[in-house]
Amino acid sequence: MNQIARALMRSAVHGRRGGVRFVSTSGFAIARASSEGFAVKQPSFWLFSASQLIERPFSSSSTSSASSKDDSAPKGGEKSEKSVLVSSYWGITREKSITREDGSPWPWNCFMPWETYKADLSIDLHKHHVPKTFLDKFAYWTVKILRIPTDIFFQRRYGCRAMMLETVAAVPGMVGGMLLHLRSLRKFEQSGGWIKALLEEAENERMHLMTMVELVKPKWYERLLVLTVQGVFFNAFFVLYLISPKLAHRIVGYLEEEAIHSYTEFLNDIDSGAIKNISAPAIAIDYWRLPKNATLRDVIIVVRADEAHHRDVNHFASDIHYQGKELKEAPAPLGYH
């Protein structure tokens, strides 16, 4: 850097206009000899001669006129720049051609049209796994005991209950998928599609939460409760899945049975008028391909159908382990979502 400073001074004293040229990128200057004059290559890449660096600041008129030109020049083109999607240097772009079925632009970044689906409303909501073994009974009564503080805290505020339920329900699929992913890497073996199936479940539960947040705005103490419950449940379920995957999946199966019951009560309150049947959020209409005039009742129906599917998947996964087999030996329930 001392050599650069000396070159600057020599160029200024001797009046050489093209003696030293500087390239500035992100605050660094590199000196090199050249006889060329002032040139600009890119917006973030400036070239200038040493004499221009020293002489131009003394000319206030040229500086002010240049700045005024710069201020006024882009105004005509600002609208066009905002309307055009700027291509990333890394090549990460989004196609403008992504639209809804009616041709309108697709508004969501969190999911794409090919990830949407229509829920299977014909699924049996009354299925129940009767606990027979010790582990099954342990899983069943664990879930029943966990329901007690939830009933006390939320009572019949089913919107808030659903929001809390989904923050917990989205954890098991992520934990199970992550552990199967790591197992696949360690053992150099396929998972039989179960990694994707469990991660799909986690993503589907998260979309339930994104929908509920549109309907119910959580209060500060509810957000604090979510942080606490998620921290405890994630770590507890992580350890449990390492110790006994069959017990972990059985617990999730019973949790989903309770979720079906909770959403059924939610629907009963909507039908009785205790909860207003408002319009469905836009995100729910696009995600589940609901009609444009869909209501809260329609959303709860499809969410409940999703929970029934998750119930079946997790009880099925537990049954596989009970038979002494690994998940990869049975077909993964892919393609539902």
Side-chain angles (χ1 to χ4, degrees):
M1 295 303 291
N2 291 335
Q3 293 177 351
I4 296 172
R6 284 197 294 270
L8 260 172
M9 295 306 296
R10 283 198 302 269
S11 176
V13 171
H14 295 292
R16 292 178 298 166
R17 295 193 59 83
V20 179
R21 187 171 68 174
F22 290 86
V23 182
S24 174
T25 55
S26 306
F28 292 98
I30 303 171
R32 68 181 185 184
S34 172
S35 59
E36 299 176 7
F38 184 84
V40 178
K41 293 283 181 85
Q42 293 180 9
S44 59
F45 195 80
W46 301 275
L47 305 179
F48 48 89
S49 68
S51 56
Q52 288 167 332
L53 176 70
I54 294 176
E55 293 171 7
R56 289 203 175 189
F58 292 97
S59 176
S60 58
S61 61
S62 62
T63 305
S64 60
S65 63
S67 61
S68 64
K69 286 181 183 177
D70 291 342
D71 292 340
S72 60
K75 298 205 172 173
E78 274 182 356
K79 284 188 178 179
S80 62
E81 285 183 5
K82 288 182 180 178
S83 63
V84 174
L85 184 63
V86 180
S87 178
S88 168
Y89 171 79
W90 304 107
I92 307 300
T93 58
R94 173 176 166 176
E95 295 182 12
K96 292 183 182 179
S97 58
I98 299 177
T99 60
R100 292 188 176 104
E101 290 182 357
D102 59 4
S104 59
W106 184 255
W108 312 106
N109 287 328
C110 52
F111 65 99
M112 293 291 112
W114 51 87
E115 296 173 320
T116 64
Y117 65 99
K118 289 187 177 181
D120 180 13
L121 302 183
S122 65
I123 193 167
D124 188 352
L125 300 173
H126 303 288
K127 280 184 181 179
H128 169 63
H129 182 274
V130 179
K132 296 178 180 178
T133 66
F134 170 77
L135 285 182
D136 282 355
K137 292 177 181 178
F138 178 82
Y140 178 79
W141 287 109
T142 296
V143 173
K144 286 295 184 182
I145 292 171
L146 289 175
R147 186 183 175 92
I148 295 174
T150 306
D151 289 340
I152 294 173
F153 184 82
F154 292 107
Q155 298 181 2
R156 298 194 70 82
R157 294 184 297 133
Y158 287 109
C160 296
R161 179 195 290 263
M163 180 194 65
M164 173 60 70
L165 177 68
E166 298 302 345
T167 63
V168 173
V171 170
M174 179 59 66
V175 171
M178 176 186 68
L179 290 176
L180 288 179
H181 174 74
L182 295 176
R183 179 188 178 92
S184 176
L185 298 179
R186 288 196 311 271
K187 295 198 170 185
F188 309 100
E189 62 184 19
Q190 297 290 340
S191 70
W194 278 92
I195 295 174
K196 187 174 182 181
L198 294 178
L199 293 181
E200 279 184 354
E201 177 185 314
E203 173 64 11
N204 181 246
E205 297 284 14
R206 191 186 66 83
M207 289 302 298
H208 291 179
L209 176 62
M210 295 299 101
T211 301
M212 293 303 161
V213 170
E214 293 292 320
L215 300 168
V216 181
K217 302 302 179 185
K219 299 179 175 62
W220 68 267
Y221 57 86
E222 290 172 335
R223 290 178 179 271
L224 182 62
L225 182 62
V226 167
L227 287 173
T228 304
V229 172
Q230 187 184 77
V232 172
F233 184 72
F234 177 89
N235 289 284
F237 192 82
F238 179 86
V239 174
L240 177 62
Y241 203 97
L242 288 174
I243 297 172
S244 177
K246 62 183 175 184
L247 176 59
H249 281 292
R250 190 67 79 200
I251 287 177
V252 177
Y254 286 129
L255 281 173
E256 299 295 354
E257 290 185 16
E258 293 298 327
I260 295 170
H261 174 73
S262 295
Y263 282 118
T264 300
E265 292 295 314
F266 200 160
L267 283 171
N268 292 338
D269 276 10
I270 292 174
D271 293 339
S272 67
I275 297 176
K276 187 177 179 181
N277 190 23
I278 60 176
S279 299
I283 191 171
I285 292 174
D286 284 336
Y287 184 69
W288 282 286
R289 300 179 190 173
L290 297 173
K292 290 184 178 180
N293 61 346
T295 62
L296 174 60
R297 189 178 192 278
D298 299 318
V299 173
I300 301 305
I301 288 174
V302 294
V303 169
R304 184 178 63 172
D306 286 348
E307 304 295 1
H309 174 70
H310 300 156
R311 170 205 63 193
D312 295 347
V313 169
N314 281 279
H315 280 317
F316 176 57
S318 184
D319 289 345
I320 294 170
H321 285 293
Y322 265 102
Q323 295 173 16
K325 299 179 181 179
E326 295 184 2
L327 291 181
K328 65 178 182 179
E329 300 178 54
L334 291 171
Y336 177 78
H337 299 309

